[in-house]
Amino acid sequence: MKKLCIAFTLLIATNSIAQQNLEDLLAAGIEDAQRFTSSYIAPAAEAMMYSTSNGWIQTAESKKPLRFEISFVANATFSNDESQRFLLNTNDYNNLQFRDGSTSKMVATALGENDPEIRVFAEVDNIVPGMPRQEVEFELPQGLASANVNIVPSAFLQARLGLFKGAEIKARYFPKVEQEDVKLGLYGVGLQYEFTKLLPADKIFPVAIAGVVGYTHLDANYDFTDTDIIDGENQQFDVQQNSYVFQLQASTKLPIFNVYGGVGYLTGTSDFGVLGTYQVRAGIPLLENTSTFTNPFSISQKISGVRANVGAHLKLGFFKFNVDYTLSEFNSLSAGLNFGI
């Protein structure tokens, strides 16, 4: 999976669970597996949402009616120390325990790394009645930091079209692509209104001020049925994200070089589902216990936060280039190459 385009970051991260120890996690019990996976993937899901929600604004100056612009937007959202680990307290779990006897320990999220490795175990019932419970031992999954990756990237095409005085509509799109067993697509729509168009002296006023609302949807799916990771059918990780950005933006209105900045608010939901049928074997061979799970669990996460950005915009005839930096729960760097009239 790691040879896939890095735009699949969230699924690459969750693939660590599938490749390393999904069967062991399920053997520890559905509740324990769901609790661990929720804490493990939450920062990656949040970082991906911040990444795909960037890039809505290159200037506060809205397009004139029927004028358009097409852009290629690339974002890099940076992970931080807090997002790379979480506190795993075995008192919150039914079966999961640390092999070294610790009760709690900071462990890697999908963005982090366990260095050194951390081993846990869980006790499972024996197939032979009256026999002692058996132990399933495994290493906790690593995250992206173990591959020296500390960004969550995204990229898409974006267009904007002037509607009427001060108003424009925006759209963004990343075509649904499939590589190996991974599918990923993105689309969104936004509206911008330049309030300064209402001023009598709009044409000589040196600053544009606008309000922007943007919606982005991302869906991704990793089908690992044919990987022989675990017996079963139709085995998939499925990700659905919906985010909304509300932004107040200002920019200068000079012929060639302009600066812009603003403050806003991001809110949205991220849903991660483990789908399909799984035949889980746990214990000593010949005495192992086998359980079958169908659609074992799903995880829903609500995300919200304040954001602020500052950037610069360069006009070179029909071509324009912009770059900006966003301060938020996950800081981001965005760049856009724009063409339009």
Side-chain angles (χ1 to χ4, degrees):
M1 280 286 291
K2 288 182 179 179
K3 63 185 178 181
L4 293 176
C5 170
I6 56 177
F8 302 153
T9 302
L10 185 54
L11 289 179
I12 293 174
T14 55
N15 182 55
S16 297
I17 294 179
Q19 295 284 12
Q20 297 179 43
N21 39 36
L22 177 60
E23 185 168 15
D24 294 326
L25 276 172
L26 291 174
I30 295 298
E31 290 185 7
D32 282 6
Q34 181 172 2
R35 181 181 294 275
F36 175 83
T37 305
S38 178
S39 298
Y40 177 80
I41 71 168
E46 186 172 5
M48 177 61 81
M49 185 172 292
Y50 273 95
S51 182
T52 57
S53 296
N54 287 327
W56 277 115
I57 309 162
Q58 296 80 38
T59 174
E61 192 173 7
S62 295
K63 282 288 183 181
K64 295 179 180 179
L66 301 184
R67 296 292 182 90
F68 70 90
E69 185 172 276
I70 298 174
S71 307
F72 175 75
V73 181
N75 303 291
T77 297
F78 305 101
S79 62
N80 49 55
D81 290 342
E82 292 76 16
S83 68
Q84 294 184 6
R85 59 185 184 272
F86 72 95
L87 181 65
L88 193 161
N89 189 332
T90 56
N91 292 326
D92 297 328
Y93 291 77
N94 297 320
N95 300 309
L96 210 61
Q97 301 178 57
F98 288 109
R99 175 51 70 192
D100 64 6
S102 301
T103 301
S104 62
K105 188 178 296 190
M106 299 300 294
V107 303
T109 69
L111 299 178
E113 177 183 14
N114 291 319
D115 186 18
E117 67 179 40
I118 299 176
R119 301 196 67 81
V120 296
F121 72 95
E123 292 184 343
V124 298
D125 290 331
N126 199 306
I127 193 172
V128 179
M131 292 286 289
R133 302 187 77 193
Q134 301 179 57
E135 290 185 355
V136 174
E137 180 176 306
F138 56 95
E139 178 187 340
L140 289 180
Q142 300 285 359
L144 293 177
S146 64
N148 296 318
V149 176
N150 65 352
I151 64 170
V152 177
S154 64
F156 41 81
L157 292 174
Q158 187 161 288
R160 59 190 188 114
L161 173 69
L163 297 178
F164 52 86
K165 188 175 182 180
E168 69 175 37
I169 187 170
K170 303 170 183 280
R172 54 177 43 176
Y173 182 65
F174 184 87
K176 191 91 176 225
V177 296
E178 180 175 359
Q179 186 172 353
E180 296 184 2
D181 298 317
V182 174
K183 299 177 183 178
L184 181 142
L186 176 150
Y187 61 83
V189 63
L191 291 172
Q192 176 171 318
Y193 187 78
E194 183 185 343
F195 302 119
T196 43
K197 288 293 186 184
L198 301 174
L199 298 177
D202 162 59
K203 292 184 179 180
I204 62 172
F205 195 64
V207 175
I209 300 175
V212 180
V213 178
Y215 163 76
T216 304
H217 172 81
L218 176 142
D219 61 270
N221 183 277
Y222 170 38
D223 189 327
F224 54 94
T225 306
D226 297 331
T227 60
D228 297 325
I229 294 172
I230 180 173
D231 291 340
E233 299 177 346
N234 301 318
Q235 298 163 336
Q236 305 171 43
F237 288 158
D238 188 74
V239 178
Q240 302 287 325
Q241 290 192 337
N242 295 284
S243 63
Y244 300 86
V245 170
F246 306 90
Q247 187 99 354
L248 183 64
Q249 199 80 2
S251 69
T252 56
K253 297 166 57 177
L254 302 176
I256 298 177
F257 181 78
N258 289 280
V259 294
Y260 60 91
V263 294
Y265 183 76
L266 166 72
T267 185
T269 58
S270 178
D271 296 303
F272 172 80
V274 181
L275 309 179
T277 301
Y278 301 83
Q279 296 176 3
V280 178
R281 296 179 176 86
I284 301 172
L286 301 180
L287 297 178
E288 60 191 5
N289 206 353
T290 302
S291 301
T292 300
F293 302 104
T294 302
N295 298 337
F297 60 86
S298 60
I299 299 166
S300 296
Q301 180 182 358
K302 292 184 177 180
I303 297 168
S304 61
V306 177
R307 41 180 280 140
N309 75 326
V310 60
H313 190 192
L314 178 65
K315 300 179 182 179
L316 299 172
F318 293 113
F319 292 94
K320 303 166 187 175
F321 177 76
N322 74 282
V323 61
D324 64 60
Y325 193 79
T326 300
L327 295 172
S328 60
E329 183 71 21
F330 290 86
N331 296 338
S332 303
L333 180 67
S334 299
L337 182 61
N338 319 293
F339 168 81
I341 58 174

